[in-house]
Amino acid sequence: MENPAGLIPAARWQKALFVLPAFLLTFFIVIFPTVFGILVSFTSWTRTGTTLDGPGSGFVLFRLGDMVRDISEAIRSTWNGIDNFRRMAGDDAFRTALKNNLIFAFIGVPLQYLVALGLALLLNQQIRARKFYRVVFLLPFMISPIAIGWMIGKAMFDARFGPFARIARELDITLAFYDTGFKAVSWLIVISAWYAIPFVMVMLLAGLQAMPGEIFEAAKIDGAGRWRTFVDMTFPLLLPVSLTAVILRIIFEFKLIDIIYVVTGGGPGDASQTLSLYIYKDGYLSGNIGYATALAEVFLIFVIVVISLLLVTVGRKIRSLY
Amino acid sequence: MVHNPKWLQITIYALLAFWLVIALFPLYWMITLSFKNLVLITTGPFFFPWIDYSPVTLGWSDLFESGQRNRFLTAMRNSLICAIGSGLLSLVLGSMAGYGLSRFSYKVGIWRNRDISFFFLSQLILPPAAVILPLYILFVESGLYDTLFGLTLLYTVVGLPIVIWIMRDQFNSLPVELEQAALVDGHSALGAFLKIATPIAAPGMVAAFILVVIFSWNEYLFSAVLTSRTSYTLPQLVATQVSSQGVKFWTMAAVGTATVAPLLVIAIMLERYIVRGLTAGAVK
């Protein structure tokens, strides 16, 4: 796609008018808090112990001075240097959460891709009511992960009252879905896949439908079988879209929290916890804001490093394929 | 198109039917649960209303008549306001930024159009958990805590990268000549954007708006940390029900059904736009 940038001449202030509002909002709501978090991560700030005066009354901007004084006083009184990071080095829950993040991203996402590829290929066949299947297969991606967690993780995978309960009774099996860390993580991967597969499927289907039909006609005339056509043509042509979809999924899988929170709460113990959930539970529910913010900053650096590596290696591959 | 032999065609339909069951059964199970009571749930599992059990409306009357009513209606209202508000706001700001990045040539220090676009897109990588605690402190201190305005503003920012991405792609695909003609006729750049470009960019705008609405409607973490007594949204209601209700499955199922139903309707009606938004820029 050719970028027509520069085709409309505009004065400096006009150009700024278009981009600046979005930039400023992003800066104040996301960039500034992230940088401010670096300060907080060197403190023992707690939700109950470190009180703020709050907004008081009047227009916010007139009280900026008060706010800055209030917050810097809180930071000074709770400053504990690199204690948080020293504690993190020996924190098993932190290590487990980091490991789970990697499992969900690098085992979960490839599984999502395989199923989604199968579905996209099915939907690309000559079938009746294609539109109907496309719409229904998209539905899981519309549902709040919190609701999915309850709907599948709790209501369906219920040992006593779930839909599998009667069969289990008759076969004399005791159902238990989340009693070990391995089982808990495995079922969470399945539930997360149920949610995410439609997204990958939609991307791959768009890729399949954008392929020129003539080359497949040509392959058929040349006598190429289905399997050879897929391996030699369809799959390589689909590679750029595939990699884009997989990278996007990995980015989003790193944020996984809601499903786990509802289904296992991170348990048994901390076994199925991700870093997002650990930060939420320790920082917000238990109120250890200082330590959890230190976790959050390390998490952010970790995510940026992993995604940058992916973009540099795989991203270059994508660009060379286009 | 390659024609399939009969056995293959049958296999294809069998697999499609199998996945229909996978995609729909959890929803079906939740809806049937919302029409059961304690006896029906503990003596079950029952699958077919009117055939192996007679449905009761206990869950729904819990939701609309007794104790849950106020909390549920508040959450529904809050979710609606946040979702539509952040959808509209991010659409306005994101369309403008997308248009600017598509049509003008920027040079801010060493940053050019590509770099600015990448800056916005890179916000997608940020995990909400990484900013949530500093944001909590700043929201409490600035008075945005537990307000719909604060939550809407935050959802707007989270929605911006995807809106800018979709809209830049949309404007890139539109011919620039009409706007150039408008400039010759004496319109300003803003005038050309509002009168010429936005009307023909409507499909992209619908797609971007829906995606932000879906995100805001379903989001949990920000809402859980940054709101408490007044501005909670539906996912938060669902989550607190899960931890507080034990096996009161029928109310839970009714809350869940009411939470997901609006988006399912949107998805069925506007599937084309959702797919368009999800695949923007991915297929060339």
Side-chain angles (χ1 to χ4, degrees), chain A:
Chain A
M1 201 173 310
E2 165 202 12
N3 189 346
L7 291 178
I8 300 276
R12 264 184 99 82
W13 69 267
Q14 283 175 319
K15 291 198 236 171
L17 178 74
F18 276 85
V19 170
L20 218 49
F23 179 82
L24 288 178
L25 206 56
T26 306
F27 180 84
F28 282 112
I29 303 273
V30 176
I31 311 286
F32 178 72
T34 313
V35 176
F36 167 64
I38 297 174
L39 282 178
V40 180
S41 69
F42 290 101
T43 68
S44 58
W45 196 306
T46 55
R47 238 181 113 188
T48 45
T50 317
T51 48
L52 293 167
D53 291 344
S57 57
F59 186 54
V60 163
L61 288 179
F62 295 146
R63 289 173 294 104
L64 271 182
D66 282 352
M67 287 165 59
V68 172
R69 215 169 306 125
D70 210 18
I71 287 178
S72 54
E73 180 49 41
I75 286 177
R76 202 173 309 124
S77 64
T78 54
W79 190 266
N80 66 356
I82 58 164
D83 283 6
N84 289 335
F85 296 93
R86 215 177 283 148
R87 183 178 147 202
M88 209 182 300
D91 185 351
D92 286 336
F94 167 66
R95 224 164 299 149
T96 312
L98 200 60
K99 191 189 77 192
N100 283 336
N101 266 119
L102 290 170
I103 290 175
F104 281 113
F106 291 100
I107 296 178
V109 172
L111 291 175
Q112 294 166 13
Y113 174 75
L114 286 179
V115 179
L117 178 63
L119 290 175
L121 289 170
L122 281 179
L123 289 180
N124 200 40
Q125 303 293 318
Q126 284 209 311
I127 49 169
R128 273 166 220 219
R130 190 201 319 263
K131 166 105 183 156
F132 166 75
Y133 291 107
R134 263 180 34 193
V135 173
V136 174
F137 289 1
L138 180 67
L139 293 184
F141 194 61
M142 297 297 113
I143 303 175
S144 161
I146 283 284
I148 290 174
W150 183 80
M151 187 172 76
I152 301 184
K154 293 278 191 182
M156 273 188 56
F157 294 169
D158 188 283
R160 290 162 302 162
F161 314 129
F164 309 114
R166 188 179 297 158
I167 301 172
R169 270 202 301 272
E170 272 157 24
L171 297 176
D172 208 21
I173 305 169
T174 317
L175 283 181
F177 291 93
Y178 315 113
D179 55 341
T180 67
F182 177 76
K183 277 164 86 178
V185 170
S186 305
W187 283 116
L188 287 169
I189 286 177
V190 170
I191 300 170
S192 172
W194 187 83
Y195 166 71
I197 283 168
F199 170 74
V200 187
M201 181 196 81
V202 161
M203 297 274 281
L204 295 178
L205 190 59
L208 285 172
Q209 286 171 346
M211 285 180 192
E214 306 87 56
I215 56 167
F216 290 96
E217 295 294 337
K220 197 185 167 196
I221 292 164
D222 288 348
R226 275 164 215 290
W227 178 246
R228 282 251 66 89
T229 314
F230 175 75
V231 172
D232 292 340
M233 289 165 55
T234 316
F235 189 75
L237 283 171
L238 206 54
L239 207 53
V241 185
S242 299
L243 293 174
T244 309
V246 166
I247 289 185
L248 281 173
R249 266 320 305 167
I250 288 176
I251 288 174
F252 285 101
E253 204 69 25
F254 271 129
K255 306 179 184 182
L256 182 65
I257 172 167
D258 358 30
I259 292 177
I260 306 175
Y261 177 62
V262 173
V263 178
T264 67
D270 302 324
S272 63
Q273 197 162 250
T274 56
L275 269 172
S276 289
L277 184 56
Y278 188 29
I279 292 164
Y280 173 57
K281 277 166 70 180
D282 196 55
Y284 182 73
L285 298 180
S286 310
N288 301 315
I289 290 184
Y291 181 60
T293 306
L295 287 170
E297 296 293 333
V298 172
F299 180 36
L300 181 60
I301 293 168
F302 167 75
V303 170
I304 291 175
V305 167
V306 173
I307 302 295
S308 304
L309 281 176
L310 275 176
L311 287 179
V312 168
T313 54
V314 184
R316 185 167 298 154
K317 174 103 181 134
I318 297 178
R319 242 167 286 137
S320 73
L321 287 169
Y322 270 125

Side-chain angles (χ1 to χ4, degrees), chain B:
Chain B
M1 263 295 168
V2 187
H3 280 278
N4 292 322
K6 190 143 198 189
W7 66 267
L8 189 58
Q9 206 60 13
I10 291 170
T11 317
I12 288 169
Y13 280 111
L15 289 170
L16 287 170
F18 170 72
W19 199 261
L20 275 186
V21 174
I22 301 265
L24 289 179
F25 185 76
L27 282 165
Y28 175 77
W29 185 249
M30 178 167 73
I31 295 168
T32 58
L33 274 180
S34 74
F35 290 103
K36 290 176 184 170
N37 58 21
L38 188 62
V39 176
L40 288 174
I41 285 171
T42 48
T43 56
F46 298 117
F47 292 90
F48 308 104
W50 295 290
I51 296 171
D52 64 0
Y53 75 97
S54 29
V56 292
T57 54
L58 189 60
W60 292 97
S61 58
D62 242 13
L63 200 58
F64 282 108
E65 282 155 27
S66 52
Q68 293 294 324
R69 185 190 147 89
N70 283 336
R71 275 181 64 75
F72 171 71
L73 290 181
T74 309
M76 186 61 107
R77 188 205 63 180
N78 290 346
S79 277
L80 270 176
I81 294 175
C82 279
I84 294 174
S86 62
L88 289 176
L89 196 54
S90 63
L91 186 60
V92 171
L93 299 178
S95 297
M96 290 179 67
Y99 183 80
L101 290 167
S102 167
R103 295 297 198 235
F104 308 145
S105 136
Y106 285 92
K107 193 166 176 246
V108 188
I110 54 163
W111 280 30
R112 294 178 176 270
N113 290 40
R114 276 181 72 109
D115 308 296
I116 301 174
S117 298
F118 182 77
F119 165 81
F120 282 118
L121 197 60
S122 69
Q123 302 303 316
L124 274 182
I125 295 171
L126 187 88
V131 286
I132 193 68
L133 295 169
L135 214 49
Y136 168 76
I137 293 174
L138 294 172
F139 265 45
V140 169
E141 184 63 22
S142 66
L144 288 172
Y145 180 71
D146 202 14
T147 63
L148 285 178
F149 177 68
L151 199 60
T152 305
L153 218 51
L154 182 57
Y155 286 166
T156 302
V157 173
V158 180
L160 267 177
I162 194 76
V163 177
I164 293 177
W165 179 250
I166 293 173
M167 292 314 292
R168 195 184 66 125
D169 194 57
Q170 167 77 77
F171 289 123
N172 276 351
S173 72
L174 297 176
V176 72
E177 285 78 14
L178 283 173
E179 291 144 56
Q180 287 172 329
L183 290 181
V184 174
D185 286 350
H187 282 92
S188 65
L190 191 62
F193 165 70
L194 288 176
K195 295 204 187 90
I196 313 290
T198 46
I200 42 175
M205 295 173 86
V206 175
F209 176 73
I210 299 173
L211 287 192
V212 178
V213 167
I214 293 171
F215 163 79
S216 305
W217 185 268
N218 290 339
E219 206 281 335
Y220 171 69
L221 183 61
F222 286 133
S223 153
V225 174
L226 299 177
T227 69
S228 68
R229 250 168 275 157
T230 57
S231 305
Y232 54 87
T233 56
L234 279 169
Q236 212 181 333
L237 189 69
V238 176
T240 46
Q241 297 267 322
V242 172
S243 48
S244 68
Q245 299 262 329
V247 287
K248 218 174 164 191
F249 273 17
W250 47 94
T251 314
M252 191 58 232
V255 174
T257 307
T259 303
V260 305
L263 286 194
L264 296 186
V265 173
I266 290 180
I268 291 166
M269 292 193 315
L270 301 171
E271 185 253 6
R272 201 159 59 88
Y273 292 100
I274 294 169
V275 169
R276 185 195 167 99
L278 292 177
T279 56
V283 184
K284 312 207 172 181

